[in-house]
Amino acid sequence: MLNTSKIPNLQPNVKNPAPDKRHGSLFAEMRGAFGKKGWQLLLLTLLMMYFAVCWQGERVLRARVFNFFKEIGANGFGVSYKEPKSSFLALQSGLYLDDLTVTAPKSMGGWQFKAGRISITLNPLAPRNISFSMRGTHSLKTEKYGDIRFIADDARADINTGSKLSPASVKIYIQNVRSGTQNALAGSAFERLFFRLKKIPAKHDGLASFSYSFQTENIVLPAGKHQSLPKTVEYLYLSGEIDGISQQREKPLLKDWLDNSGTVEIKKGEIIWKPLMAEFSATAALNGALEPTVAATAKAYGFFDMLEILEIEHIISSGNLSVAKVVLGPRLTVEHGENRPSLSTSFSYQDGNLYAGQIVLIEKNTGDEP
């Protein structure tokens, strides 16, 4: 009789059976559903859609750049630049702006600024955010100093046009600027400059308010100008608010601000320009002739040391220095916990004259300007 237990197992012994392709991963199932050409078509469609969004973003960017410089022109400045060129950097909407020239009105000195190439970018998925980048050599032409060339390692600005959830803001950052010309400003430079402006809740009906902060470090004065002055302003900081711009503005920005008696309030100011060190607060405004008027209070260290240097440079007269020492000298005090005398008093600037209290320190059109 046949012994079935001794019959060999004729079924194949498969140790690693192949997976059933009909039950693979979700991606495999989708790939099977679309097919290779279907996926290629889908990716191409998405890419074309993104390029279309970038192109639309460039149109928005061109319009905003035009309106920005149109606003500057409406405030009395001359503005010219070449037709912007398209750029496509890091999948963003972008423009190159060449040969920008801005000329100030005569009432503001008639200076002329010429910039090198400016790169402007906008993220098409966040069209309220615009970035400016400006590196290389730029020039500033003034009646007094002629054509001044400046070289900047980095200069950029980030602008948020604002929304209900995010208030409008501007950030400007400039690093390592130095003079590249052999004239009266040769050798001038500064290490770093930061400026921030942000819209805040209005303090007056119908008028907008903005907070700001400004900081710069290591300002190097020109090598050939005022040899006795300390060559480096180590630190300058200002923060406060700007008021007087209409919420629904119909006039050019500057005229609107002047008509509303706009002010710049310095809530906190600090300067280190040894031997002078001071902390101060102030309110500043412009009159119809665009001349500044400033009222301030300050606590200053090394005040008379700096005045003596200004006398050597003929910026302050000997007579004014003598009067200042007689009237203000007795007010020098050494406060508790300090080892240097300080002077606390009011200061003002009006019609080109600088006052400490009622004492004239620097008079308009007398001596050399600092």
Side-chain angles (χ1 to χ4, degrees):
M1 179 182 294
L2 181 63
N3 187 352
T4 57
S5 64
K6 294 183 178 181
I7 297 177
N9 185 358
L10 300 180
Q11 295 184 2
N13 183 14
V14 182
K15 296 182 179 180
N16 297 306
D20 188 347
K21 296 183 179 180
R22 294 173 299 174
H23 303 285
S25 65
L26 178 61
F27 178 78
E29 292 183 15
M30 293 177 63
R31 182 175 60 184
F34 280 97
K36 183 177 180 180
K37 292 185 176 180
W39 273 102
Q40 292 175 345
L41 181 60
L42 177 61
L43 292 175
L44 181 60
T45 301
L46 292 175
L47 190 61
M48 291 179 64
M49 290 175 61
Y50 186 78
F51 275 109
V53 172
C54 290
W55 178 75
Q56 178 60 26
E58 183 184 308
R59 293 183 60 191
V60 172
L61 193 58
R62 286 177 180 270
R64 288 182 176 174
V65 168
F66 174 80
N67 290 334
F68 175 78
F69 289 116
K70 181 181 178 181
E71 174 66 35
I72 293 178
N75 285 277
F77 293 81
V79 180
S80 65
Y81 55 90
K82 288 184 177 180
E83 177 70 20
K85 299 178 182 178
S86 301
S87 69
F88 198 69
L89 302 173
L91 297 180
Q92 290 186 335
S93 305
L95 297 173
Y96 287 132
L97 198 65
D98 292 318
D99 296 339
L100 170 65
T101 301
V102 179
T103 305
K106 290 293 184 181
S107 58
M108 298 184 68
W111 51 261
Q112 186 178 79
F113 174 74
K114 292 185 178 181
R117 168 163 285 190
I118 301 175
S119 298
I120 311 171
T121 58
L122 175 147
N123 186 338
L125 301 180
R128 296 187 181 276
N129 298 321
I130 302 174
S131 296
F132 290 74
S133 179
M134 188 171 64
R135 296 180 176 87
T137 302
H138 317 283
S139 70
L140 178 65
K141 188 175 182 180
T142 68
E143 183 177 344
K144 182 174 183 178
Y145 296 109
D147 193 8
I148 309 161
R149 301 280 174 166
F150 288 101
I151 302 171
D153 286 352
D154 189 13
R156 62 180 184 269
D158 297 318
I159 300 175
N160 185 317
T161 57
S163 64
K164 292 182 178 180
L165 300 178
S166 176
S169 64
V170 177
K171 294 179 182 179
I172 299 175
Y173 179 79
I174 305 175
Q175 186 173 13
N176 293 333
V177 174
R178 54 203 178 276
S179 174
T181 51
Q182 298 300 319
N183 59 14
L185 293 183
S188 59
F190 64 83
E191 181 179 329
R192 188 179 295 108
L193 183 150
F194 178 78
F195 175 79
R196 180 176 181 178
L197 182 72
K198 184 177 181 180
K199 192 173 184 179
I200 58 175
K203 296 170 61 177
H204 305 285
D205 291 340
L207 300 178
S209 297
F210 299 85
S211 66
Y212 73 90
S213 61
F214 171 90
Q215 179 178 325
T216 184
E217 301 171 12
N218 295 327
I219 305 172
V220 180
L221 302 183
K225 186 72 172 175
H226 299 303
Q227 295 292 324
S228 299
L229 285 176
K231 291 304 177 186
T232 302
V233 182
E234 290 92 342
Y235 182 74
L236 175 62
Y237 174 81
L238 307 171
S239 66
E241 295 180 2
I242 300 174
D243 295 298
I245 300 174
S246 300
Q247 294 274 20
Q248 303 295 328
R249 183 167 54 86
E250 298 179 354
K251 305 175 185 177
L253 179 66
L254 183 57
K255 180 173 177 52
D256 179 82
W257 187 68
L258 292 173
D259 289 348
N260 292 328
S261 300
T263 60
V264 177
E265 182 180 359
I266 302 173
K267 291 186 174 182
K268 181 179 180 181
E270 298 177 356
I271 184 171
I272 300 176
W273 187 18
K274 295 178 181 178
L276 177 68
M277 297 176 61
E279 53 186 21
F280 55 92
S281 60
T283 300
L286 295 176
N287 60 22
L290 301 180
E291 296 174 334
T293 300
V294 183
T297 58
K299 178 182 179 181
Y301 304 84
F303 178 72
F304 289 108
D305 294 333
M306 179 59 76
L307 289 188
E308 289 175 355
I309 295 174
L310 296 179
E311 182 198 16
I312 294 173
E313 295 293 339
H314 306 291
I315 296 171
I316 180 174
S317 69
S318 299
N320 288 349
L321 175 59
S322 298
V323 173
K325 286 183 175 181
V326 171
V327 177
L328 300 175
R331 298 175 59 177
L332 285 173
T333 58
V334 179
E335 297 187 6
H336 179 71
E338 299 180 349
N339 55 15
R340 295 185 63 191
S342 62
L343 172 68
S344 296
T345 188
S346 62
F347 291 87
S348 61
Y349 181 84
Q350 187 174 7
D351 298 328
N353 301 321
L354 177 65
Y355 301 83
Q358 300 298 319
I359 307 302
V360 179
L361 295 180
I362 300 176
E363 298 179 79
K364 184 178 182 180
N365 298 327
T366 60
D368 297 330
E369 296 179 2

